[in-house]
Amino acid sequence: MLECVPQTAPAPGARTRETAITRQHTENPTSIDADEPWMRGLHADTGYLLYRLGLRSGQLFNSFLQESGVRLRHYAVLRFLATAEGALQRELSTRLGYDPSAIVGLVDDLEKLGFAERRPSPDDRRSRIVVLTEAGRQFLRDTDEAGQRVTNDLLGPLGPTERQALHDLLLRVADRP
């Protein structure tokens, strides 16, 4: 049986390991490796910036979609289905980069909302394709303008030419195998 020993706060002016470390970094914020070529600030890492942009984009889109019961991942499936006559779940997984088990849950959610449905594949009756319903199309029509506002807010610091250049560059990188 473990005995609980109450923790007491350090006496005023007492140096703890945490305060010593904090003081060391506050008084000497320069890294000992700052001059090394491999040492660079976090914001010098493009991958990290893309990650942060993705997080911010997801937060903005999920806030905008919150009332509908749809999340960004659902929205991506709907947007993909809007450009296809239907898709196998494994195709959705591959094209969107989602785990196959996640696609099953996303399609289940979209079916419950009436935005998508599974139908027998015309090419193979053992397979089922996912198609956008009329309610799903209407949802996309109703949310398109607000979705554009979210994107405009996210890219606010960029001018039209910069936005197009960013879009083109991201497409080039995203379309790589």
Side-chain angles (χ1 to χ4, degrees):
M1 186 163 140
L2 293 174
E3 185 178 326
C4 292
V5 178
Q7 295 286 327
T8 58
R15 287 185 62 134
T16 65
R17 178 171 160 65
E18 290 79 17
T19 57
I21 291 171
T22 303
R23 182 173 293 118
Q24 175 186 352
H25 289 289
T26 304
E27 293 169 0
N28 184 14
T30 305
S31 167
I32 59 172
D33 296 321
D35 295 329
E36 296 293 331
W38 52 265
M39 180 56 73
R40 63 185 186 280
L42 186 56
H43 286 93
D45 187 325
T46 303
Y48 175 75
L49 292 174
L50 288 170
Y51 168 75
R52 287 288 308 269
L53 182 62
L55 283 178
R56 179 74 179 129
S57 176
Q59 290 167 342
L60 289 172
F61 267 94
N62 284 330
S63 292
F64 139 69
L65 293 167
Q66 188 171 15
E67 291 178 20
S68 68
V70 171
R71 307 269 304 157
L72 180 57
R73 298 183 86 176
H74 297 99
Y75 194 74
V77 172
L78 292 173
R79 282 279 169 213
F80 180 84
L81 292 175
T83 63
E85 293 291 321
L88 296 169
Q89 288 183 170
R90 68 177 165 266
E91 179 185 5
L92 289 171
S93 172
T94 301
R95 297 297 286 287
L96 297 173
Y98 296 164
D99 185 81
S101 62
I103 290 294
V104 172
L106 292 170
V107 173
D108 287 347
D109 294 343
L110 292 172
E111 276 191 314
K112 287 176 190 163
L113 292 167
F115 293 164
E117 64 184 23
R118 291 176 175 99
R119 294 182 184 160
S121 170
D123 301 328
D124 180 359
R125 293 218 179 261
R126 295 171 296 176
S127 297
R128 307 202 35 92
I129 60 171
V130 181
V131 296
L132 189 66
T133 63
E134 186 52 43
R137 286 187 206 308
Q138 187 61 49
F139 176 78
L140 290 174
R141 278 192 289 272
D142 292 345
T143 58
D144 187 59
E145 188 178 316
Q148 289 296 325
R149 281 196 307 270
V150 169
T151 299
N152 288 336
D153 181 42
L154 184 67
L155 300 178
L158 304 179
T161 304
E162 292 170 312
R163 288 178 188 206
Q164 188 60 52
L166 175 63
H167 183 85
D168 294 344
L169 291 169
L170 290 172
L171 270 177
R172 224 166 71 201
V173 173
D175 283 344
R176 286 186 59 212

